[in-house]
Amino acid sequence: MIPALNKDWLRYGGLLALGAVLYTVCRLYPADLPFWLPWEFSWQEYLATALTFTWFVRGLKRLPKDQHPPLWRLVCFVVGVLSFWIVLQTRIDYYAQHMFFVHRWAHFVLHHAGAFLIALGMSGPVLWAGMPDFLKPLIASRPVQGTLSFLQHPVMAPFLFVGLLYFWLIPQIHTRVMLDVNLYELMNWTMAINGVMFWSLILDSRAKPPARLSHLMRALLILVIELPQMVLGAILSLTEHDIYPVYTICGRVLDMTALNDQHYGGLIIWLPGTLTSFAAMIVVLVTMRLNEEKAALEESKHEAA
């Protein structure tokens, strides 16, 4: 019988071995690989995905059934994490580096759709249960929790959400980022992490307290982030000159003019972003109604007792 600790190390060793195989294959035969394998293998993105799923499965095994999130939430979480992998570690990433509108779709997944699903999955307790014990004091430490609290402050959260979207699309910065692999990865990481943190704040199914924000404040923050996104999308959709010549320099892989590419990218910021905010507002309203019904039921039980 293999001790549990040894099983864990074997599991992590297997993940590293699989990563080494993917790294070697992607390094030696990049043009011969199928669409669904990494174009440029990233150890950081691989380990983030692999460890997330490992801790997720381990946490489900450790937690009692009555402490599992509903199945639909688990599915949302898995689909959200997979969507991150798809846009960052498949051939889609190659197209995102050579087409502006594909790049915007990728960031829509990282900052909106995929992050939205991960937040809706509410699988934090599952990941915590599956996480190695030596990491838990670090996550629970005052500096880490203080940083998270600051980044999710009701003023800072929408500022970062909109600010990062605008910052990475400043033409001079965007050109530099698209030509530097390290800055490119930093951009993707910040968008993904910020998206998950913001939507986790908005889509929390609990009432305040213990949730950080009231339902009214969540609805207000959704409105706050919506207008700047619509303005940015409209500017990119309607401008009649090429703002991002870096895609012409790198070479577009699809037969499309620079203006059409830019206009489609602006529409992606404008329309799907608006729909995501609309979906978030519906979730907030439904959550508010359910929490009010729950509070009324508990109050009636208390009075009856």
Side-chain angles (χ1 to χ4, degrees), residues 70-271:
L71 178 60
W72 69 270
R73 288 195 182 275
L74 298 178
V75 171
C76 285
F77 180 81
V78 170
V79 172
V81 175
L82 283 177
S83 71
F84 278 14
W85 172 265
I86 289 169
V87 299
L88 294 176
Q89 285 289 271
T90 69
R91 195 65 60 89
I92 290 175
D93 185 49
Y94 169 75
Y95 284 89
Q97 294 177 36
H98 293 83
M99 298 296 299
F100 180 69
F101 87 94
V102 180
H103 180 270
R104 296 322 310 156
W105 269 123
H107 271 209
F108 170 72
V109 171
L110 295 177
H111 207 217
H112 286 73
F116 188 100
L117 289 173
I118 290 173
L120 199 60
M122 294 193 64
S123 294
V126 177
L127 293 178
W128 181 263
M131 188 181 297
D133 291 337
F134 72 88
L135 280 180
K136 293 179 180 178
L138 174 64
I139 303 299
S141 65
R142 183 173 295 179
V144 172
Q145 291 301 311
T147 300
L148 293 176
S149 179
F150 172 74
L151 294 177
Q152 289 188 310
H153 188 275
V155 174
M156 184 58 62
F159 173 78
L160 284 175
F161 189 84
V162 174
L164 284 172
L165 177 64
Y166 271 76
F167 176 77
W168 292 121
L169 287 176
I170 296 173
Q172 296 84 349
I173 292 176
H174 192 77
T175 297
R176 181 74 176 86
V177 167
M178 298 306 292
L179 297 175
D180 187 315
V181 64
N182 294 320
L183 289 177
Y184 181 76
E185 287 200 3
L186 175 64
M187 173 182 63
N188 288 336
W189 275 92
T190 56
M191 293 296 280
I193 293 173
N194 176 253
V196 172
M197 292 185 66
F198 180 80
W199 294 118
S200 295
L201 192 65
I202 299 298
L203 303 178
D204 192 336
S205 66
R206 302 169 300 175
K208 179 185 178 181
R212 179 158 188 168
L213 301 180
S214 66
H215 297 97
L216 181 61
M217 180 60 72
R218 299 180 211 186
L220 178 61
L221 293 189
I222 293 172
L223 297 177
V224 166
I225 67 165
E226 182 53 33
L227 181 59
Q229 291 181 90
M230 294 176 65
V231 170
L232 178 59
I235 291 173
L236 294 179
S237 301
L238 302 175
T239 299
E240 290 303 320
H241 66 276
D242 185 11
I243 300 176
Y244 302 108
V246 65
Y247 293 93
T248 302
I249 296 170
C250 295
R252 287 181 169 81
V253 294
L254 299 177
D255 185 15
M256 184 180 295
T257 66
L259 281 181
N260 282 343
D261 190 12
Q262 182 175 290
H263 290 168
Y264 292 147
L267 287 174
I268 291 167
I269 296 173
W270 190 350
L271 300 180

Side-chain angles (χ1 to χ4, degrees), residues 4 11 295:
R11 186 179 295 113

